[in-house]
Amino acid sequence: MSRGVAAAAPRFPDPLVEERHGILARYGYRLDRGGLERDWPGMWKLLQGDFATRGRPWVTGFEQLSPRQQEAARVYMRRRLVADELLDACKQAHADLHQSGIAPELVERYAIARDAYEDAVMEFGRAREQLDTLLPKDGG
Amino acid sequence: MAKYKTYDKGDALPEDYKKALLNLMAFQADSEYAGGQRVAENMQYAPRPEEAYRLSKKVMEEFGHAYYVWSLMAELGVNVDARLRELVEHPDNPDPKKVNVINGFRRENWSPMFHDWADVGLFSTVVTPAAVAFLGQYRECSYLPWARVNVRIHKEEHGHLAFGVWASKRCIEFGGEAMRADMQSRVPKFMRMGLGFYGRPSTGDKKSQMFDIYYEYGIKVRKPEELQAEYMELVEARLKEVGLEMPRDVQPDYDMRVGYAMDNPVAAE
């Protein structure tokens, strides 16, 4: 998996908010951007913790998943990638408000960008639930 | 039919009315933005990817609410860009002479309340209902553009309630009965803030000097006692959904308030 973080990534105007969003990089935000071939196993390593439960404390690697589970895992990871892209758009709209001033047109642009990001996050959650139903309840 | 005079975009506003209106709008907008900054701080506690992304989503919503209200304030001649700049440049300690941030959303008051993700879930379960009740009243206020924006905001604040229930239930799902007991013991500290959110009672020695003015103008349309009743109903239902009990005899912490008792707010100019 490419570990290069894309250059010219949009940034929050607030250093504090930007820093705290750094946690998303732990799960692969801004890694592997734009490549034609996805490193699904590498990405899965960063995200599989989302599926650990008391009954399933250890979650298997991507290669050990069944074809059906792998497909659901890819959907889940694609949802995350979409969310990341929309997060960038949202950050850009936010930065532009700071740069250009608070005007109705820019406020509505931000509203559209964040609505899309919020929908994407909820889709990401739904994809997690879908995959969760396909994983064994008691480990593996 | 409204019992107070209403104003729409472009209407001439009486000077005293405009001053009172802008004070409350500034509190809402500045505090929404500062609230977004505080929520962002809590991303450090997110234990899993989905928790982190959902909290990030909440940050964006809080900023969006601030922009809606600032946009209206700009139409009334306020330099809102300066307010945004102050909050961005001094997130830890914005100048109270330049912005009106509620005490609860100031970093020195906020940070000590949070130690882990369970606190994050409980905040949205127990304190957010107070914001839903408090800000909900503005949907019926006499300044119609602000009322309309608050219809939009109120809908999203309801989504934050769902986030709190989801996050708290996940904590118990992963932490079991020991976590449930731990979270139950933390409910009162958040309820104190929730109960104090809308300010002191509307009557008696300790009543706010400003409340009568806001109420007479129809800028605030509900009394603290009514808001408290709505809050208690909302929080009890959410706690039940999570599987926690409603503690009794919790005393409000008025120092964290946003409400009626802000007698000397910074003028929004």
Side-chain angles (χ1 to χ4, degrees):
Chain A
M1 179 176 191
S2 164
R3 293 280 169 162
V5 175
R11 296 178 68 82
F12 286 105
D14 317 47
L16 175 93
V17 177
E18 179 67 29
E19 183 205 326
R20 293 305 190 200
H21 269 73
I23 190 177
L24 299 183
R26 194 189 297 169
Y27 307 121
Y29 167 66
R30 293 215 66 82
L31 299 176
D32 192 30
R33 302 299 295 271
L36 291 176
E37 297 218 356
R38 297 287 186 209
D39 175 11
W40 300 120
M43 205 182 294
W44 178 247
K45 271 187 193 162
L46 300 174
L47 290 163
Q48 67 193 98
D50 218 6
F51 297 89
T53 63
R54 280 161 71 84
R56 188 175 56 218
W58 184 79
V59 181
T60 192
F62 187 79
E63 291 89 345
Q64 284 75 49
L65 295 173
S66 71
R68 183 166 55 162
Q69 290 168 336
Q70 281 192 0
E71 194 55 42
R74 275 191 289 269
V75 169
Y76 162 76
M77 290 186 278
R78 284 192 177 103
R79 295 289 188 201
R80 214 291 316 280
L81 291 167
V82 170
D84 285 350
E85 195 170 323
L86 292 167
L87 171 59
D88 283 351
C90 202
K91 287 168 78 169
Q92 189 61 59
H94 183 44
D96 288 348
L97 274 158
H98 184 245
Q99 182 76 24
S100 307
I102 298 166
E105 186 62 25
L106 290 182
V107 168
E108 289 306 321
R109 174 194 166 200
Y110 177 78
I112 287 172
R114 80 180 171 87
D115 274 350
Y117 173 56
E118 288 163 20
D119 288 347
V121 169
M122 297 312 281
E123 285 295 333
F124 175 53
R126 277 189 281 276
R128 180 192 60 78
E129 287 172 6
Q130 185 187 33
L131 174 54
D132 188 67
T133 63
L134 299 177
L135 296 175
K137 299 289 170 229
D138 54 356
Chain B
M1 189 175 167
K3 58 188 176 195
Y4 37 77
K5 182 172 169 49
T6 58
Y7 300 92
D8 212 332
K9 185 178 176 178
D11 290 348
L13 305 180
E15 205 47 47
D16 285 351
Y17 175 89
K18 184 178 175 183
K19 189 178 170 194
L21 173 71
L22 283 174
N23 279 336
L24 292 185
M25 289 175 84
F27 263 120
Q28 185 184 9
D30 298 351
S31 299
E32 292 272 15
Y33 197 90
Q37 292 175 314
R38 299 289 85 79
V39 171
E41 283 181 42
N42 281 346
M43 288 182 74
Q44 64 183 308
Y45 300 121
R48 296 176 196 81
E50 192 176 349
E51 271 84 349
Y53 278 89
R54 284 192 63 162
L55 204 58
S56 160
K57 162 185 177 301
K58 195 164 178 265
V59 172
M60 302 305 167
E61 283 179 3
E62 303 292 4
F63 288 159
H65 298 171
Y67 287 135
Y68 288 153
V69 181
W70 273 333
S71 187
L72 296 180
M73 290 171 67
E75 287 171 4
L76 295 173
V78 177
N79 179 1
V80 291
D81 295 328
R83 304 181 90 88
L84 171 61
R85 211 163 38 243
E86 175 64 22
L87 287 163
V88 165
E89 290 171 5
H90 304 99
D92 293 347
N93 191 22
D95 187 344
K97 294 190 180 75
K98 296 179 180 172
V99 289
N100 289 333
V101 175
I102 63 168
N103 289 339
F105 286 176
R106 289 192 165 271
R107 194 177 194 186
E108 71 264 26
N109 296 321
W110 173 277
S111 295
M113 285 197 301
F114 295 91
H115 299 99
D116 55 25
W117 186 252
D119 283 331
V120 176
L122 279 173
F123 180 87
S124 284
T125 305
V126 179
V127 182
T128 301
V132 168
F134 184 81
L135 298 175
Q137 70 177 319
Y138 293 147
R139 291 173 299 166
E140 299 158 38
C141 77
S142 56
Y143 188 58
L144 301 178
W146 194 33
R148 287 191 284 269
V149 149
N150 272 290
V151 169
R152 211 167 168 182
I153 291 174
H154 188 261
K155 195 176 158 197
E156 294 186 354
E157 292 290 351
H158 255 283
H160 296 174
L161 295 182
F163 165 80
V165 169
W166 173 82
S168 298
K169 284 172 90 168
R170 290 256 287 177
C171 286
I172 294 169
E173 183 187 336
F174 292 114
E177 287 309 308
M179 175 57 78
R180 187 193 305 277
D182 183 9
M183 289 174 77
Q184 182 67 59
S185 73
R186 303 188 206 189
V187 172
K189 80 169 172 179
F190 290 110
M191 252 186 95
R192 278 193 285 279
M193 185 179 180
L195 281 166
F197 207 85
Y198 27 76
R200 297 178 191 283
S202 60
T203 57
D205 295 345
K206 292 180 178 174
K207 67 176 281 191
S208 159
Q209 294 165 27
M210 290 298 288
F211 173 72
D212 288 345
I213 297 169
Y214 291 137
Y215 196 72
E216 189 184 321
Y217 281 139
I219 303 174
K220 286 176 182 282
V221 299
R222 303 189 67 191
K223 295 181 177 176
E225 294 84 350
E226 295 172 299
L227 293 171
Q228 182 176 40
E230 186 181 342
Y231 167 68
M232 295 296 269
E233 200 175 304
L234 279 170
V235 80
E236 185 156 25
R238 293 308 174 287
L239 286 172
K240 193 175 171 186
E241 219 178 314
V242 172
L244 296 172
E245 289 175 14
M246 179 89 157
R248 304 293 162 191
D249 301 323
V250 177
Q251 295 304 308
D253 179 356
Y254 291 120
D255 290 338
M256 296 294 184
R257 70 197 180 277
V258 61
Y260 303 105
M262 290 291 185
D263 291 326
N264 297 301
V266 183
E269 291 167 348

